[in-house]
Amino acid sequence: MRFFSLTLLALSAWAVGGVAVAAEGSKPNIVVLFADDTGWGEFGAQGNKEIPTPNIDSIAAGGVKFTDGYVTCPLCSPSRAGLITGRYQTRFGHEFNERGAADNFGLPVQQKTIADRLKTAGYATIGIGKWHLGWRQPEFRPTARGFDEYYGTMANSAFYNVRLVDTRKSPEPTPVEDDSFYTTDAYADRAVEFINEHKSEPFFIYLPFNAQHAPLQAPKKYLDRFPQLEGDRKIFAGMMSALDDAVGEVLGALEKNGLTENTLVVFLTDNGGPTKTTTSKNDPLRGSKATMLEGGIRVPFYMQWKGHLPAGEVYEKPVISLDILPTALAAAGAKPQAAEELDGVNLLPYLTGENEGAPHESLFWRFGKHWAVRHGDWKLVAANPDGLKTKLYNLAEDVGETNDLSDEHPEKVAELQKLYDQWNAENVEPKWKPGPETRKSRARRNRQQARKRAQQERVQEERAGVE
């Protein structure tokens, strides 16, 4: 299989600066499927037997499953900023979500996106789903960031009764009046339409679902698949099943149009699961969303390109969402950038066996006062829920991060601290920070959340047919 893959790449690619580039006329389609707030252990490919996810699992089975796949932040917007630019978002100040931010919230306009680069390379581009990279000013919106079209919501939303942007009709968010509209289903339908419309030209689909983010909402047809479950877990399972069906619709459209072997498909999630909110599970990892422990930043991560990448491969060296952009550019034959411009690397030669080294010697994270560095199997971290005292773990022996080895290996602590300090010196101050919360604003937020939960429960009961 490795020889077969290498032969294909040798016939269809040439190298510029160590980046494999597709030959003219053989540009593959690129599809990035990005789930929200889903725990490490929730998919079948991760070992979950409670909620079937055969379509998502098929991406891992037909391609590469990364055991040590990471995102750049354990929170929604910064994680997206890293993926879509191929650069650590702390290099350009996109470090937090927008709570309390002024009108300047948005992916800095100086940063080129994967859509910018692929559009320049001749791709039709569309974003479908949750944007969450700025919307108050027009220069932050998707169609100003390389996307020909956008269909989705500008930030976090419910799954029903949303304000939708469909740029075929209007650039502004418009209330959806269709009672049958459910975001996960609608996003899959739009992706299928786009594939059918652009099957004769190279296309790029960025599909960041709002599933599995709160609120918990799912149609009755999905809830009925889980009679053995109750309460929030039942709704979460229904949402997962809808997500898997949506992925299946996208994969099915590729297959129907004869595009499967000419499409690079990537599936991952934006951060670990917020277990207290949506029941999602990170086992065997510790920590959750908004923490720098493995449960916050290590995510399910699969890549498939049939006929070009080995099927059923399990890749154990660390990779990160930053790698998606340079990998896509290499597959597409897009003009390579100077090495210092991107933090991600082209994974293709590592996955085919052409390069047997590790894609990254070190990986880094900063999220306010919380930070981490992984170097080889060693990780130094200062993070909630453990406070800001640095702790040292050997992930090869202790993936659950339960045994702090700082006292036993002070030299390793010093080594990783130095690596982090050198990297952090290249970062900038955040362009916005979460606003301070007063007692009055906290009480107001709690009242708003209570009203929102009550409304969501009423909607869910109506949609599920519960009296």
Side-chain angles (χ1 to χ4, degrees):
M1 177 60 74
R2 288 188 182 278
F3 177 78
F4 171 65
S5 302
L6 282 168
T7 302
L8 280 172
L9 283 174
L11 290 173
S12 64
W14 54 285
V16 177
V19 179
V21 183
E24 188 65 30
S26 63
K27 295 177 180 178
N29 308 303
I30 310 292
V31 176
V32 176
L33 305 164
F34 202 32
D36 200 328
D37 281 9
T38 313
W40 164 262
E42 290 293 3
F43 300 108
Q46 303 295 112
N48 187 329
K49 301 184 184 304
E50 183 182 43
I51 306 172
T53 53
N55 296 302
I56 294 170
D57 300 345
S58 75
I59 301 173
V64 180
K65 171 185 174 180
F66 300 99
T67 61
D68 294 38
Y70 290 93
V71 287
T72 58
C73 186
L75 204 65
C76 298
S77 186
S79 178
R80 284 161 169 71
L83 182 153
I84 208 167
T85 63
R87 305 186 70 214
Y88 285 112
Q89 66 280 354
T90 44
R91 295 198 187 280
F92 48 85
H94 199 117
E95 193 161 343
F96 298 102
N97 278 0
E98 76 280 9
R99 186 170 71 87
D103 286 345
N104 69 330
F105 169 75
L107 182 72
V109 295
Q110 298 82 2
Q111 302 303 314
K112 288 187 177 296
T113 71
I114 184 173
D116 286 322
R117 299 180 189 277
L118 289 172
K119 184 174 181 178
T120 300
Y123 278 66
T125 61
I126 189 171
I128 303 171
K130 168 183 165 180
W131 177 239
H132 209 179
L133 288 170
W135 62 90
R136 294 184 181 96
Q137 303 299 329
E139 62 266 27
F140 295 137
R141 295 183 179 182
T143 50
R145 311 314 300 267
F147 291 97
D148 297 324
E149 300 180 48
Y150 200 80
Y151 181 91
T153 61
M154 289 289 96
N156 287 324
S157 74
F159 293 78
Y160 301 111
N161 302 329
V162 303
R163 292 176 59 81
L164 184 78
V165 174
D166 182 350
T167 57
R168 295 170 299 177
K169 300 176 181 179
S170 171
E172 299 302 322
T174 304
V176 175
E177 298 178 354
D178 182 357
D179 289 340
S180 67
F181 181 94
Y182 182 69
T183 57
T184 307
D185 293 347
Y187 295 159
D189 291 344
R190 182 68 191 106
V192 170
E193 286 178 352
F194 190 82
I195 291 168
N196 292 335
E197 294 162 357
H198 296 274
K199 59 187 176 184
S200 298
E201 61 182 317
F203 58 76
F204 168 56
I205 299 176
Y206 170 57
L207 207 173
F209 293 97
N210 61 322
Q212 298 289 112
H213 199 288
L216 293 176
Q217 295 177 327
K220 185 175 185 297
K221 65 179 180 179
Y222 295 117
L223 299 176
D224 287 347
R225 297 177 180 180
F226 301 95
Q228 75 281 14
L229 300 179
E230 297 179 350
D232 286 350
R233 189 61 180 170
K234 183 186 187 78
I235 303 173
F236 180 88
M239 293 167 65
M240 284 283 292
S241 196
L243 173 65
D244 188 69
D245 276 13
V247 170
E249 289 293 318
V250 176
L251 298 177
L254 295 174
E255 183 67 28
K256 182 178 179 180
N257 286 290
L259 300 174
T260 299
E261 293 192 356
N262 195 41
T263 304
L264 175 67
V265 179
V266 183
F267 179 91
L268 73 165
T269 70
D270 68 342
N271 48 247
T275 53
K276 293 181 180 179
T277 306
T278 64
T279 80
S280 57
K281 301 174 182 177
N282 283 327
D283 301 341
L285 309 181
R286 190 163 69 91
S288 63
K289 178 178 180 176
T291 78
M292 289 296 185
L293 296 174
E294 293 292 285
I297 55 177
R298 190 189 291 213
V299 298
F301 197 146
Y302 317 131
M303 182 179 292
Q304 172 187 287
W305 188 8
K306 290 191 175 181
H308 297 263
L309 294 178
E313 182 88 349
V314 177
Y315 190 81
E316 298 181 345
K317 296 182 176 70
V319 300
I320 195 166
S321 55
L322 301 169
D323 301 330
I324 293 172
L325 186 152
T327 302
L329 295 186
K335 182 180 179 181
Q337 295 75 41
E340 64 270 14
E341 186 176 347
L342 298 177
D343 292 305
V345 303
N346 170 22
L347 294 176
L348 297 179
Y350 296 93
L351 302 182
T352 62
E354 180 182 356
N355 189 332
E356 296 184 355
H360 301 275
E361 289 187 7
S362 305
L363 294 174
F364 303 92
W365 295 266
R366 190 184 82 181
F367 180 51
K369 296 180 180 179
H370 308 280
W371 59 272
V373 52
R374 174 169 176 172
H375 183 68
D377 290 330
W378 293 95
K379 180 180 176 185
L380 189 66
V381 57
N384 281 335
D386 297 341
L388 295 178
K389 180 182 181 298
T390 56
K391 295 187 176 182
L392 179 71
Y393 300 106
N394 186 311
L395 297 177
E397 301 172 355
D398 180 24
V399 73
E401 296 172 291
T402 59
N403 183 23
D404 178 15
L405 300 174
S406 299
D407 292 339
E408 297 177 37
H409 296 279
E411 78 293 342
K412 190 60 68 175
V413 171
E415 177 189 356
L416 269 63
Q417 181 74 61
K418 182 178 180 180
L419 288 173
Y420 175 80
D421 291 342
Q422 290 172 341
W423 171 80
N424 193 39
E426 300 174 354
N427 292 322
V428 301
E429 286 296 307
K431 287 186 175 293
W432 57 86
K433 294 182 179 180
E437 189 171 44
T438 64
R439 181 179 299 177
K440 183 181 292 186
S441 66
R442 182 164 57 250
R444 181 171 61 250
R445 177 174 60 83
N446 289 339
R447 289 194 299 271
Q448 291 172 343
Q449 289 180 344
R451 287 195 297 269
K452 187 175 182 180
R453 281 195 298 271
Q455 180 187 25
Q456 291 164 356
E457 288 171 1
R458 287 196 300 272
V459 170
Q460 182 61 47
E461 288 175 358
E462 292 170 1
R463 301 285 180 175
V466 177
E467 297 296 329

